[in-house]
Amino acid sequence: MQVNEDWVVAQGYVQIRWAATGGHLAGYAKKEGLKFVDEKEKAEKRVQIKREAYLQAIQAEDEKVKARLHSSKARKETKEAQSSETQGAEHQCPKSTSDIIASRKPKPKGNGKDSTIGRELSVSGFQDKIHMSFLLSKFFVGAKMFTPWMLKSCKWSENCTTTQTMRALSGLYFGRMHRRKQSLDFGFQSYSKALRLLSKDLVSEKAWELPALTNVLSLTVFEIMASSTGTGFLQHESGVARLIQSSSPERFQSMPELDVFESARLAISFGCADLRIRCFLEEPRWKIIPWLKHPEAKDLKSLIYDRFCDFPGILQDLDAFRTGRLQDPVDVTKLYQTVCDQLRKLYGWRGQWESENAHNCSVKPSQDPRSPFPNALHFNNLQQAAGLAHYNTVLLVLLRAGRTLKGRDFSFTTSSDALPVTRTNPDLLLPQDPKTLHGVASEILRSVEYGLSEPHTSGGCFQLLFPLRATLEVYKPGCPERDYLIKTFSDIADKGGFEMSRGLTPAGLCGRMIEDEYLNT
């Protein structure tokens, strides 16, 4: 998608500037240390100053409370010392025991004031541990995506970028899940510190170290939780892409670099798809070289990510076809052949998934009264559900692309004839089965109930975010499936913590991926 004008969005501590740079975001400058470009306008600076002042006011108030408690404690100790001198040793007791006893006294009745108010232990002293423990135990359960490498090089010091990044992420997540304002404030304050530290890292030799990449990835996740606009996500996603593209595929051949690269691929392809711009990761070298030392890591998840890296380029070419910028019959034929080739590869993946996950999908009566489907799909684990949802996401894009290029002459079983798959999960569509867009989309929707269930609620919300965004485009406003989708996006924000899901309606972050609403789905 070509952007023809600059515009600036203020969002808490972050601002994004879209520039006419061939569809790329200018949040991270090229080369010269990959500097983080902080382009704040005066109005947005005032917003940040007010926010900082607000946080400082809270901190100042905390300091006043601590000072009052300290003064009160000093007076009490003096009084107790004086009392002990006159009453004798038999009336004395250790100060710590006295404090414990006093803190357990019942609150006086009537208008009497409780002299022990404020003596209970404050959680602020071990807030970090509470936040981090909750994040690591809940955030991506069932979806091994970000831990433990997100903690790489964390020194737990004020001047450590990873420390501030993890404080931001864990504070925001805890605050959203528990509706705790103090944790939210702590998360945003840490985010501001993380950005300042990151801007220094990216103009030094640290820019070429793995923590620089993992920190930007963590901030990408932060933005998915922090705002419904998605602008911060797109900015940091662009930064991830710049950091990786400025390296070489050989850099990611070792562990944990390869794991980080795998997660980064997903973020980059999501961003490129929403912007409808070609992804450099579609180049064969980026799909082969990183796995040469660890070929066992090229599993089903990695293979479906390959397909994700391919279809943003198809979306860009489709947009050119729709707007008349791609008209040469040879180019159109080439694009259609690319779609067919991608379908063939995708169906090959589906056959492998069926073989490796035989009899792992079951049907159970839906427990969600809002669901338009009487039955829900359940799996043995979240990875199976996520893999199938990602497959159906790419399938929806390719089928719609084929229909856009060929119209009624396009068959929804194209490229599947030579790849018959033995059925082991009778409730799922196979490549050779007759299918409709609604039929494919319904597989994603029927897996929502399982994906958003405990104990992997947040992990499932994250994994289903983009598949549901793709599904949204095949249902017209007012139909039961679309209404269910909109309610599900709210659930993902409330139960999973990913506020960006609210901004995916009515048509993604940057408009529809494929402008085919005029066609009957």
Side-chain angles (χ1 to χ4, degrees), residues 413-473:
T413 57
T414 295
S415 302
S416 67
D417 299 338
L419 296 166
V421 178
T422 302
R423 191 183 306 277
T424 66
N425 295 285
D427 299 295
L428 301 177
L429 287 170
L430 291 180
Q432 65 266 26
D433 292 337
K435 59 183 72 70
T436 64
L437 293 181
H438 284 178
V440 174
S442 69
E443 278 197 358
I444 298 176
L445 292 184
R446 292 170 67 201
S447 67
V448 165
E449 202 165 321
Y450 170 78
L452 271 59
S453 64
E454 291 289 354
H456 51 247
T457 300
S458 290
C461 288
F462 186 85
Q463 292 279 17
L464 289 176
L465 198 57
F466 192 79
L468 291 173
R469 179 258 181 275
T471 302
L472 185 70
E473 296 193 9

Side-chain angles (χ1 to χ4, degrees), residues 315-331:
L315 295 177
Q316 178 177 310
D317 293 340
L318 274 179
D319 197 50
F321 173 76
R322 181 184 63 86
T323 56
R325 290 178 286 114
L326 191 154
Q327 293 181 320
D328 190 308
V330 174
D331 293 334

Side-chain angles (χ1 to χ4, degrees), residues 59 68 125 127 207 235 319 337 381 426 442 450 479 482 515:
Q59 185 176 3
R68 287 197 298 268
Q127 182 171 248
Q235 182 193 33
D319 197 50
Q337 188 58 50
N381 57 62
S442 69
Y450 170 78
C479 71
R482 190 179 177 91
E515 301 286 350

Side-chain angles (χ1 to χ4, degrees), residues 69 72 101-120:
L69 290 174
S72 175
I101 294 172
S103 67
R104 292 181 178 176
K105 289 181 180 179
K107 187 175 181 180
K109 297 181 181 180
N111 295 327
K113 294 184 178 180
D114 185 357
S115 62
T116 65
I117 290 178
R119 300 186 61 177
E120 295 86 353

Side-chain angles (χ1 to χ4, degrees), residues 1 233-234 237 265-279 307-316 393 397 466 469-470 473 507-514:
M1 179 176 65
F233 160 74
L234 291 173
E237 173 273 319
R265 288 208 302 163
L266 194 62
I268 294 171
S269 60
F270 284 179
C272 290
D274 224 291
L275 292 167
R276 290 180 289 184
I277 57 174
R278 180 163 266 101
C279 179
R307 306 283 70 79
F308 263 105
C309 294
D310 288 331
F311 80 76
I314 292 176
L315 295 177
Q316 178 177 310
T393 300
V397 170
F466 192 79
R469 179 258 181 275
E473 296 193 9
L509 300 176
C510 306
R512 292 175 64 91
M513 290 190 292
I514 301 178

